[in-house]
Amino acid sequence: MKRTIPATPLKFLTVSAMISASLSVMGCELFGKGSSSSSNVTSGQPGPTPSGEKYLYVTSGSTYVGAGVTTDVAVQTVSRYRLNGTFDRVVFDYNRNAGAGDQPVDIVNYDQKAVLVLVENSSGGRRIDRVNKDGSGTFLFIQNLSALNGVLRSFASTFDGGWLVSKSSAIEKFSSNRGRVTPISATAYVNNPQGACAATNTLVTEVLQGPGNTIIYLHAGASPNNKVALVKSSGYVSSTDCLSTVSAPSAAHLPTAALMHSNGRLLVAYSTGAATAAEIYSYPITSTSIGSGTLAYTNLSVLKGVTSMIELPDSTIAVASAAVGYNAVDQFSYDVSTDILSRVGTTPMIFSEVYLRSISALMVAD
């Protein structure tokens, strides 16, 4: 199979270089500026950004990988890699705010200069930060104690310029002006759904936009409530707002990550301590329904504890494994005719290294 993005193995940093990188980045205050504008891969300092170049951004933080799966201790960083798999820079190190408990759990693009990072902090610091891509600083973007009042899981941009945030028991929406959007006064945008979506309000692991601006979310609660659900773009108010659900392939399959591919299929990764349930399924989906799934990939020696999937510019897919002993990003091609994912090459796109401990999210942006 012809490889469209070369899988250049990442050169491992020496221990001394890792320590140097951490100390260099931690030397600035939380809201301060970066100290360098020259390229220095081993120190983790910012380098120049070629115009129009795309990167793979990676966050390391607390994440949900299914029952019975263990992750390494997260390093609490936002880093980025070139699309050939080589390390580019540390964008932000949340260890600068020592002892605060910040865990970057998801990331979306904001504009040419900044990304937005969803930060989990059980000590009252749950929020969304705006982080400059050049490493020069981070700024508070949204902090809403009423809305961000549960364990934060995932983050997605909406077609109307707003954002969706899934937390342990609901889905919140913020408008483009950063205000909380509530279909019913003082409740979450998707709160305690009923009908076919019933009992999917205890462990919402992922949220994203689907066809026709609908909302897709994953629920990893105990069977039979381990489901993929589709609700109206206007949020959930009554049972008719639950458009469709599909149950996980088995009681052991707990959905942890999802991706709407440009070919129109929905990909869902499942994770659990049971070896037979570490799989990726493909689902046909419309603006009103989700169809039966097809097994697209399974190989426990390659993927375990999948936390994020992202489509790359050439339509291949990057998949992050966060289970201890994995901590890598693999690349897959997608055969639309067979609905099968195939690993590109025989080694990871990005090998396990210091900034990939407990990968919580992937994103492609300039």
Side-chain angles (χ1 to χ4, degrees), residues 3-78:
R3 188 180 183 87
T4 53
I5 296 180
T8 305
L10 180 68
K11 294 182 178 180
F12 287 93
L13 300 176
T14 64
V15 173
S16 61
M18 293 176 189
I19 295 173
S20 173
S22 179
L23 292 176
S24 298
V25 175
M26 291 170 65
C28 303
E29 295 298 325
L30 177 63
F31 298 103
K33 294 183 178 181
S35 59
S36 172
S37 60
S38 62
S39 179
N40 186 341
V41 171
T42 58
S43 71
Q45 293 299 311
T49 302
S51 177
E53 184 173 359
K54 297 294 184 183
Y55 296 92
L56 183 66
Y57 289 76
V58 182
T59 61
S60 165
S62 61
T63 190
Y64 176 80
V65 292
V69 180
T70 303
T71 64
D72 279 327
V73 176
V75 293
Q76 296 95 36
T77 56
V78 178

Side-chain angles (χ1 to χ4, degrees), residues 4-5 46 53 64 89 108 117 142 159 169 197 272 275 283 295 323 348:
T4 53
I5 296 180
E53 184 173 359
Y64 176 80
R89 71 171 62 159
V108 300
V117 179
I142 295 175
F159 294 118
S169 60
C197 296
T272 184
Y283 295 90
L295 178 61

Side-chain angles (χ1 to χ4, degrees), residues 98-114:
D102 288 344
Q103 297 276 342
V105 296
D106 209 346
I107 183 172
V108 300
N109 196 42
Y110 184 58
D111 58 21
Q112 289 186 328
K113 295 183 178 180

